Amino acid sequence: MKTLPSEALSYNRNDWQRGYLSQPQEFDYWIDEVDGQIPFELQGTLYRNGPGLLDMNGQTIQHPFDGDGMVCRITFDKGQAHFRNRFVRTEGYVAEQKAGQILYRGVFGTQKPGGFFANAFNLKLKNIANTSVLYWGEKLLALWEGAEPHRLEPHTLETIGIERLNGLIKPGGTFAAHPRIDPGSSPTDARRLVNFSIKTGLSSTITIYEFDDHYQLLHQQSRTIPGFAFLHDFVITPHYYIFFQNPVQFDPLPFILGWQGAGQCIRFRPDQPTQILLIPRDSSQPMVSLGTVPCFVFHHGNAFEQDNQIMVDSIGYEYFPKVEPNQDFREIDFDTLPAGQLWRFTINLADGSVDRQVIESRCCEFPSIHPNYVGKPYRYLYTGAAHSPTGNAPLQAILKLDLHSGYRHVWSIAPRGFMTEPLFVPRPGGTAEDDGWILAMTYDSTHHRSDVVILSAQDIEGGAIASLHLKHHIPYGLHGCFVQNM
Ligand code: CO
């Protein structure tokens, strides 16, 4: 990969790193510093989840995926906005706060102090509830794919406790952090929540659930696939659930012995294809597994069926880098790592062939679309992106891609601003697919604080129509959701 001279970088590494400082405080206030005007029609709440604590008693958390979940809520009401954040009171968070030190091993390598003897054979992982937040069926859930969800009070963000969804999720069970909301095939269809859990080892069992808006189970099915499966996300179409089984292998010995976190024992197999699993929603139909080029996918943008083909748009990486032991993520060398790019996989159902096409080569992550187009042919995709069109770099921009015309619209906050997941929120009463807003939380390293930005999705290049300045920073988060007025 071509290395740019450092003076050509769109960012300063120290600026980027400071966005990963812990935020141990919990706040509750009306946001009074706003540039621009919050649209009056924007009514509802943006919830975001992400790691809030990235160090503990002087010991750093080695990977951001290991930081305790902290949920933020920004409520928009008649042109005003209110901010609140709370840590999820998981068993681990409460115990570690009380002890004032790290008591659990992190999946991605954060070790308990005490070296080998403290870490060997200690397989208890902390449910850190830090990946996403879902509001459905009047329940607000903080999600982490390795364990059960935590239910929170939607207004105060107080932790109510582990949520088992009427006994469906057994103790030790999992519920993925990437639920999909199926809008149905006609406007009169009721929306459904679709999500999965996974049990992995020498073989892996995926269980998929569909719920109505009161969490009544409408459908459930399980499928078993050979091998270890690292499944973070999935996509749906009217007839299929689609998973990408990345070609990775899990070598648990260093983890069991306490040398490495479980995430560090994942090894990419460049000699193996990525398997695309097409699981029919009709559970009487057989599953189909199709090989494609070896690659790694965390996130999918969307999928849809057309003319006996299925299109899947995903953020793909050429390979999955090994997470090295004792390597702090803040020190990573972006130039040596693959950049996420938007790829379209075209699956031909007639002959089982899969074609892969790069549709956006700029480094990008965290795709978002209009919620009514989930699983359907669509035109617009929004994603966090790097400032430069080439190379690997932190996210500093929002990119809107018109999949029909190929036009791209970019708004960058480089050099001193950094981007997180942009979410598309439809304007009430709007009919055009891009009639709505993009909401994102950004990190302003100049002032060491975070902003909530609102853009018109039809005018990305016009920049933020409102920038809401928080009184503090929030570490870069992962995923969120928007809820129209409850
Ligand atoms: Co994710």
Side-chain angles (χ1 to χ4, degrees), residues 178 232 299 479:
H178 275 278
H232 177 68
H299 295 128
H479 299 292

Side-chain angles (χ1 to χ4, degrees), residues 131 145 177-178 232-233 298-299 366 478-479:
T131 311
E145 66 197 17
H178 275 278
H232 177 68
D233 192 5
F298 279 112
H299 295 128
F366 297 118
L478 293 165
H479 299 292

Side-chain angles (χ1 to χ4, degrees), residues 337-369:
L337 297 175
Q341 300 177 320
L342 184 68
W343 295 346
R344 170 162 291 184
F345 295 86
T346 302
I347 301 163
N348 184 329
L349 291 173
D351 64 7
S353 63
V354 181
D355 175 65
R356 189 202 67 167
Q357 193 194 346
V358 177
I359 47 181
E360 177 55 67
S361 57
R362 183 190 294 254
C363 168
C364 50
E365 246 311 351
F366 297 118
S368 174
I369 64 163

Side-chain angles (χ1 to χ4, degrees), residues 424-442:
F424 176 83
V425 175
R427 190 175 63 81
T431 51
E433 190 187 320
D434 61 350
D435 190 353
W437 304 282
I438 299 294
L439 304 186
M441 200 181 269
T442 62

